[in-house]
Amino acid sequence: MKHLTDNLTSRYFEAANRMRPRNRKHKVVVYVEGYDDISFWRGILSDYETDELMFEVVLPSRTSLVRGKKSAIMNRLGNGLGTSMIACVDADYDYLMQGANPTSRTMLNSRYIIHTVAYAIENHQCYAPGLHNVCVMATLNDRKIFDFEAYLKAYSEIIYDLFVWSVWLHRTGRSGELQLNKFNNLVAINNLNIFKPETALEEVRKVVNRKMAWLQRRVPQAKGHLKPLKEELERLGVRPDNVYMYIQGHHLFENVVMSALDPVCTRLRREREKEIKMLAEHAQQMDNELANYMHTQCPVDQMLRRNTSYKSSEEYAKIREQIERFLELVKPALGTAIGTTTDGAATE
């Protein structure tokens, strides 16, 4: 059965906008991929709302529980995007594909599809300069016991060459040689000691080097192509020190960043609890203070999802550029309402 909402396009919303009273805002409906994306994109688009313009962030379907990847969203919307209806999606590998597949071409060529530049919203949430703040929000302890920026920089440098291999293989239709889930397994962090992170990182280095040696034997035709690809990726913003922003977001969140955040926050909480026990004057005060501290703590993963430090990142600046280009297209529609024409003259 076909629902009326299946036929909604930007033209429908544009017509609705034209019928609005003069004092009503021009509404842009924003389709996103899933529940987590609603909060992320709302936090970004709110900065652009004015007395004339508003955004409404919604899921791709109001009639089912289907939550799609960006390809499903673009198939759902078809050619219906416009100045009153856009899609905000994870870039995945499609930003780095640079038009090598149909999804990448659609995403990059549409003025009405805004993407994360980084692989996904999780990569933004894991932006290294903000991870200490996540610890503070989760534990209410501001002592720095782990250098997250150095950790993710070292991790990125270790996986960089294998990541370039992965991009080249995907671009050339050879992704089966290094499927994304296999890449994630190879570069996962295991048994991290927050006081000796170099041990776990060295294990990743060994695994990565073995895999690259295998690929060099398996796919010798890649020789001569990887260096130019590195230069191209650098122009896109991908460097040896920030590759973590471009690997699969869920993997980064669960298997790299949380691998460090969990033990760091556990340590910080124990320190705070020890401090309370030392300073308490009697047992009742200690119990009350410990209970109060327990109630004010927050789950680490929830605080990570609320991390907005990415707004100082290069990738976020590129998201802003996309939004601002879209807003240039919207400008002619602003101020157009029932009782006015596009030049502001009164209608009958």
Side-chain angles (χ1 to χ4, degrees), residues 113-153:
I113 298 175
I114 296 167
H115 62 85
T116 52
V117 181
Y119 189 99
I121 66 172
E122 289 91 346
N123 302 73
H124 288 279
Q125 292 162 348
C126 292
Y127 183 55
L131 294 180
H132 174 68
N133 291 341
V134 172
C135 291
V136 176
M137 290 189 293
T139 68
L140 307 179
N141 187 341
D142 196 21
R143 195 164 86 85
K144 292 185 178 180
I145 64 172
F146 189 80
D147 191 338
F148 290 101
E149 293 185 61
Y151 166 65
L152 285 175
K153 179 177 184 292

Short mmCIF file of all heavy atoms in Angstrom, two decimals, residues 113-153:
data_model
loop_
_atom_site.label_atom_id
_atom_site.label_comp_id
_atom_site.label_asym_id
_atom_site.label_seq_id
_atom_site.Cartn_x
_atom_site.Cartn_y
_atom_site.Cartn_z
N ILE A 113 21.99 17.55 -0.18
CA ILE A 113 22.44 16.49 0.72
C ILE A 113 23.68 17.00 1.44
O ILE A 113 24.69 17.32 0.81
CB ILE A 113 22.76 15.19 -0.04
CG1 ILE A 113 21.50 14.65 -0.72
CG2 ILE A 113 23.33 14.14 0.92
CD1 ILE A 113 21.75 13.43 -1.59
N ILE A 114 23.59 17.08 2.75
CA ILE A 114 24.71 17.54 3.57
C ILE A 114 25.27 16.32 4.30
O ILE A 114 24.52 15.54 4.88
CB ILE A 114 24.23 18.62 4.57
CG1 ILE A 114 23.76 19.85 3.79
CG2 ILE A 114 25.34 18.99 5.55
CD1 ILE A 114 22.98 20.84 4.62
N HIS A 115 26.58 16.16 4.25
CA HIS A 115 27.19 14.97 4.84
C HIS A 115 28.20 15.35 5.92
O HIS A 115 28.62 16.49 6.02
CB HIS A 115 27.84 14.10 3.76
CG HIS A 115 28.96 14.76 3.02
ND1 HIS A 115 30.25 14.76 3.49
CD2 HIS A 115 28.98 15.44 1.85
CE1 HIS A 115 31.03 15.41 2.63
NE2 HIS A 115 30.28 15.83 1.63
N THR A 116 28.58 14.35 6.69
CA THR A 116 29.40 14.58 7.87
C THR A 116 30.88 14.82 7.57
O THR A 116 31.64 15.17 8.48
CB THR A 116 29.32 13.36 8.81
OG1 THR A 116 29.62 12.17 8.07
CG2 THR A 116 27.94 13.24 9.45
N VAL A 117 31.32 14.61 6.33
CA VAL A 117 32.74 14.69 5.93
C VAL A 117 33.52 13.57 6.62
O VAL A 117 34.10 12.71 5.97
CB VAL A 117 33.36 16.07 6.23
CG1 VAL A 117 34.83 16.10 5.77
CG2 VAL A 117 32.57 17.18 5.53
N ALA A 118 33.59 13.59 7.96
CA ALA A 118 34.10 12.44 8.70
C ALA A 118 33.18 11.25 8.40
O ALA A 118 32.08 11.43 7.88
CB ALA A 118 34.12 12.74 10.19
N TYR A 119 33.63 10.04 8.73
CA TYR A 119 32.87 8.86 8.35
C TYR A 119 31.42 8.92 8.83
O TYR A 119 30.49 8.64 8.10
CB TYR A 119 33.56 7.60 8.88
CG TYR A 119 32.96 6.30 8.36
CD1 TYR A 119 33.56 5.62 7.31
CD2 TYR A 119 31.79 5.77 8.92
CE1 TYR A 119 33.02 4.44 6.83
CE2 TYR A 119 31.24 4.59 8.44
CZ TYR A 119 31.85 3.93 7.39
OH TYR A 119 31.30 2.77 6.90
N ALA A 120 31.22 9.31 10.10
CA ALA A 120 29.88 9.29 10.68
C ALA A 120 29.82 10.26 11.85
O ALA A 120 30.82 10.85 12.25
CB ALA A 120 29.51 7.88 11.13
N ILE A 121 28.63 10.39 12.44
CA ILE A 121 28.50 11.31 13.57
C ILE A 121 29.34 10.83 14.75
O ILE A 121 29.83 11.66 15.53
CB ILE A 121 27.02 11.48 13.99
CG1 ILE A 121 26.44 10.17 14.56
CG2 ILE A 121 26.17 11.99 12.84
CD1 ILE A 121 25.07 10.34 15.18
N GLU A 122 29.57 9.51 14.89
CA GLU A 122 30.38 9.01 16.00
C GLU A 122 31.80 9.53 15.94
O GLU A 122 32.43 9.76 16.98
CB GLU A 122 30.39 7.48 16.01
CG GLU A 122 29.08 6.84 16.42
CD GLU A 122 28.16 6.55 15.25
OE1 GLU A 122 28.42 7.07 14.14
OE2 GLU A 122 27.18 5.80 15.43
N ASN A 123 32.34 9.71 14.74
CA ASN A 123 33.71 10.22 14.62
C ASN A 123 33.79 11.64 15.18
O ASN A 123 34.77 12.00 15.84
CB ASN A 123 34.15 10.20 13.16
CG ASN A 123 34.10 8.80 12.56
OD1 ASN A 123 33.01 8.29 12.29
ND2 ASN A 123 35.24 8.19 12.35
N HIS A 124 32.76 12.44 14.92
CA HIS A 124 32.73 13.79 15.49
C HIS A 124 32.64 13.72 17.02
O HIS A 124 33.31 14.48 17.72
CB HIS A 124 31.54 14.56 14.92
CG HIS A 124 31.72 14.96 13.50
ND1 HIS A 124 32.46 16.07 13.11
CD2 HIS A 124 31.26 14.41 12.34
CE1 HIS A 124 32.44 16.18 11.80
NE2 HIS A 124 31.73 15.19 11.30
N GLN A 125 31.81 12.83 17.52
CA GLN A 125 31.67 12.71 18.97
C GLN A 125 32.97 12.26 19.63
O GLN A 125 33.22 12.59 20.79
CB GLN A 125 30.54 11.72 19.28
CG GLN A 125 29.17 12.23 18.89
CD GLN A 125 28.13 11.12 18.79
OE1 GLN A 125 28.46 9.94 18.79
NE2 GLN A 125 26.86 11.50 18.69
N CYS A 126 33.82 11.55 18.87
CA CYS A 126 35.09 11.05 19.40
C CYS A 126 36.25 11.99 19.11
O CYS A 126 37.42 11.59 19.24
CB CYS A 126 35.38 9.67 18.81
SG CYS A 126 34.25 8.37 19.38
N TYR A 127 35.97 13.22 18.73
CA TYR A 127 37.02 14.19 18.42
C TYR A 127 37.95 14.31 19.63
O TYR A 127 37.52 14.65 20.74
CB TYR A 127 36.38 15.52 18.07
CG TYR A 127 37.35 16.60 17.67
CD1 TYR A 127 38.27 16.41 16.64
CD2 TYR A 127 37.34 17.83 18.33
CE1 TYR A 127 39.15 17.41 16.27
CE2 TYR A 127 38.22 18.84 17.96
CZ TYR A 127 39.12 18.62 16.93
OH TYR A 127 40.00 19.62 16.57
N ALA A 128 39.23 14.03 19.42
CA ALA A 128 40.18 13.83 20.52
C ALA A 128 40.28 15.00 21.50
O ALA A 128 40.32 14.78 22.71
CB ALA A 128 41.56 13.49 19.94
N PRO A 129 40.34 16.27 21.05
CA PRO A 129 40.51 17.36 22.00
C PRO A 129 39.39 17.50 23.03
O PRO A 129 39.56 18.17 24.05
CB PRO A 129 40.58 18.61 21.10
CG PRO A 129 41.14 18.10 19.81
CD PRO A 129 40.50 16.75 19.65
N GLY A 130 38.25 16.85 22.78
CA GLY A 130 37.14 16.97 23.73
C GLY A 130 36.97 15.78 24.65
O GLY A 130 36.07 15.78 25.50
N LEU A 131 37.83 14.77 24.55
CA LEU A 131 37.60 13.54 25.31
C LEU A 131 37.88 13.72 26.80
O LEU A 131 37.25 13.06 27.63
CB LEU A 131 38.42 12.40 24.72
CG LEU A 131 38.00 11.97 23.31
CD1 LEU A 131 38.86 10.82 22.81
CD2 LEU A 131 36.53 11.58 23.27
N HIS A 132 38.80 14.59 27.16
CA HIS A 132 39.00 14.85 28.59
C HIS A 132 37.73 15.46 29.19
O HIS A 132 37.34 15.12 30.31
CB HIS A 132 40.20 15.77 28.83
CG HIS A 132 40.33 16.18 30.27
ND1 HIS A 132 40.67 15.29 31.27
CD2 HIS A 132 40.12 17.38 30.89
CE1 HIS A 132 40.69 15.92 32.45
NE2 HIS A 132 40.35 17.18 32.24
N ASN A 133 37.09 16.36 28.45
CA ASN A 133 35.84 16.95 28.94
C ASN A 133 34.77 15.89 29.15
O ASN A 133 33.93 16.00 30.06
CB ASN A 133 35.34 18.01 27.97
CG ASN A 133 36.22 19.24 27.96
OD1 ASN A 133 36.98 19.48 28.89
ND2 ASN A 133 36.12 20.04 26.91
N VAL A 134 34.76 14.87 28.29
CA VAL A 134 33.81 13.76 28.46
C VAL A 134 34.07 13.07 29.81
O VAL A 134 33.12 12.76 30.55
CB VAL A 134 33.94 12.74 27.30
CG1 VAL A 134 33.10 11.50 27.58
CG2 VAL A 134 33.52 13.38 25.98
N CYS A 135 35.33 12.86 30.12
CA CYS A 135 35.68 12.25 31.41
C CYS A 135 35.18 13.11 32.57
O CYS A 135 34.65 12.58 33.56
CB CYS A 135 37.19 12.06 31.52
SG CYS A 135 37.87 10.82 30.42
N VAL A 136 35.35 14.40 32.46
CA VAL A 136 34.91 15.31 33.53
C VAL A 136 33.40 15.23 33.69
O VAL A 136 32.88 15.16 34.82
CB VAL A 136 35.36 16.76 33.24
CG1 VAL A 136 34.81 17.71 34.31
CG2 VAL A 136 36.88 16.84 33.19
N MET A 137 32.66 15.24 32.59
CA MET A 137 31.20 15.17 32.67
C MET A 137 30.74 13.85 33.28
O MET A 137 29.75 13.81 33.99
CB MET A 137 30.59 15.34 31.27
CG MET A 137 30.73 16.74 30.70
SD MET A 137 29.78 16.97 29.16
CE MET A 137 30.66 15.90 28.02
N ALA A 138 31.47 12.77 33.00
CA ALA A 138 31.06 11.45 33.48
C ALA A 138 31.46 11.20 34.93
O ALA A 138 30.77 10.47 35.65
CB ALA A 138 31.66 10.36 32.59
N THR A 139 32.58 11.79 35.36
CA THR A 139 33.12 11.44 36.68
C THR A 139 33.17 12.61 37.66
O THR A 139 33.39 12.39 38.85
CB THR A 139 34.56 10.92 36.54
OG1 THR A 139 35.43 12.00 36.12
CG2 THR A 139 34.64 9.80 35.53
N LEU A 140 33.00 13.84 37.16
CA LEU A 140 33.13 15.04 37.99
C LEU A 140 34.52 15.11 38.64
O LEU A 140 34.68 15.58 39.76
CB LEU A 140 32.03 15.08 39.06
CG LEU A 140 30.60 14.94 38.53
CD1 LEU A 140 29.60 14.97 39.67
CD2 LEU A 140 30.29 16.01 37.50
N ASN A 141 35.49 14.64 37.89
CA ASN A 141 36.89 14.68 38.33
C ASN A 141 37.71 15.23 37.17
O ASN A 141 37.73 14.64 36.09
CB ASN A 141 37.37 13.28 38.71
CG ASN A 141 38.76 13.29 39.32
OD1 ASN A 141 39.53 14.23 39.17
ND2 ASN A 141 39.09 12.21 40.04
N ASP A 142 38.38 16.34 37.37
CA ASP A 142 39.07 17.05 36.30
C ASP A 142 40.55 16.70 36.20
O ASP A 142 41.29 17.35 35.47
CB ASP A 142 38.89 18.56 36.51
CG ASP A 142 39.24 19.37 35.26
OD1 ASP A 142 39.21 18.81 34.16
OD2 ASP A 142 39.55 20.57 35.40
N ARG A 143 41.01 15.70 36.91
CA ARG A 143 42.43 15.37 36.85
C ARG A 143 42.74 14.64 35.54
O ARG A 143 42.03 13.70 35.16
CB ARG A 143 42.83 14.50 38.04
CG ARG A 143 44.35 14.42 38.20
CD ARG A 143 44.71 13.89 39.57
NE ARG A 143 44.72 12.43 39.61
CZ ARG A 143 45.78 11.69 39.25
NH1 ARG A 143 46.88 12.27 38.80
NH2 ARG A 143 45.72 10.38 39.34
N LYS A 144 43.79 15.06 34.87
CA LYS A 144 44.19 14.43 33.61
C LYS A 144 45.16 13.30 33.88
O LYS A 144 46.26 13.52 34.37
CB LYS A 144 44.83 15.46 32.69
CG LYS A 144 43.87 16.52 32.18
CD LYS A 144 44.54 17.46 31.18
CE LYS A 144 43.55 18.50 30.64
NZ LYS A 144 44.17 19.41 29.66
N ILE A 145 44.74 12.09 33.57
CA ILE A 145 45.60 10.93 33.76
C ILE A 145 45.90 10.21 32.45
O ILE A 145 46.60 9.20 32.45
CB ILE A 145 44.98 9.94 34.77
CG1 ILE A 145 43.66 9.38 34.24
CG2 ILE A 145 44.79 10.61 36.14
CD1 ILE A 145 43.09 8.25 35.10
N PHE A 146 45.33 10.71 31.35
CA PHE A 146 45.53 10.05 30.05
C PHE A 146 45.49 11.09 28.96
O PHE A 146 44.65 11.98 28.96
CB PHE A 146 44.43 9.00 29.82
CG PHE A 146 44.65 8.12 28.61
CD1 PHE A 146 45.53 7.05 28.68
CD2 PHE A 146 43.99 8.36 27.42
CE1 PHE A 146 45.74 6.23 27.57
CE2 PHE A 146 44.18 7.56 26.32
CZ PHE A 146 45.07 6.48 26.40
N ASP A 147 46.42 10.98 28.00
CA ASP A 147 46.51 11.93 26.88
C ASP A 147 45.76 11.35 25.68
O ASP A 147 46.32 10.59 24.89
CB ASP A 147 47.97 12.20 26.54
CG ASP A 147 48.13 13.37 25.57
OD1 ASP A 147 47.16 13.69 24.85
OD2 ASP A 147 49.23 13.96 25.53
N PHE A 148 44.48 11.72 25.56
CA PHE A 148 43.66 11.18 24.48
C PHE A 148 44.14 11.66 23.11
O PHE A 148 44.07 10.90 22.13
CB PHE A 148 42.20 11.58 24.68
CG PHE A 148 41.53 10.89 25.83
CD1 PHE A 148 41.36 11.53 27.04
CD2 PHE A 148 41.08 9.58 25.69
CE1 PHE A 148 40.75 10.89 28.10
CE2 PHE A 148 40.46 8.93 26.75
CZ PHE A 148 40.29 9.58 27.96
N GLU A 149 44.60 12.88 23.03
CA GLU A 149 45.05 13.39 21.74
C GLU A 149 46.29 12.64 21.25
O GLU A 149 46.38 12.28 20.07
CB GLU A 149 45.32 14.89 21.84
CG GLU A 149 44.07 15.72 22.08
CD GLU A 149 44.34 17.21 22.07
OE1 GLU A 149 44.80 17.71 21.02
OE2 GLU A 149 44.08 17.86 23.10
N ALA A 150 47.24 12.40 22.14
CA ALA A 150 48.43 11.65 21.75
C ALA A 150 48.08 10.21 21.38
O ALA A 150 48.64 9.64 20.44
CB ALA A 150 49.45 11.68 22.89
N TYR A 151 47.14 9.64 22.12
CA TYR A 151 46.70 8.27 21.87
C TYR A 151 46.09 8.13 20.48
O TYR A 151 46.47 7.24 19.70
CB TYR A 151 45.69 7.89 22.96
CG TYR A 151 44.88 6.64 22.72
CD1 TYR A 151 45.47 5.38 22.67
CD2 TYR A 151 43.48 6.72 22.61
CE1 TYR A 151 44.70 4.23 22.49
CE2 TYR A 151 42.70 5.58 22.44
CZ TYR A 151 43.32 4.34 22.38
OH TYR A 151 42.56 3.21 22.21
N LEU A 152 45.16 9.01 20.11
CA LEU A 152 44.50 8.89 18.81
C LEU A 152 45.42 9.32 17.68
O LEU A 152 45.28 8.82 16.55
CB LEU A 152 43.20 9.70 18.81
CG LEU A 152 42.07 9.03 19.60
CD1 LEU A 152 40.85 9.93 19.67
CD2 LEU A 152 41.69 7.68 18.98
N LYS A 153 46.35 10.21 17.95
CA LYS A 153 47.34 10.57 16.93
C LYS A 153 48.24 9.37 16.63
O LYS A 153 48.47 9.04 15.46
CB LYS A 153 48.18 11.75 17.41
CG LYS A 153 49.26 12.21 16.43
CD LYS A 153 49.98 13.44 16.97
CE LYS A 153 51.00 13.97 15.96
NZ LYS A 153 52.16 13.02 15.81
#
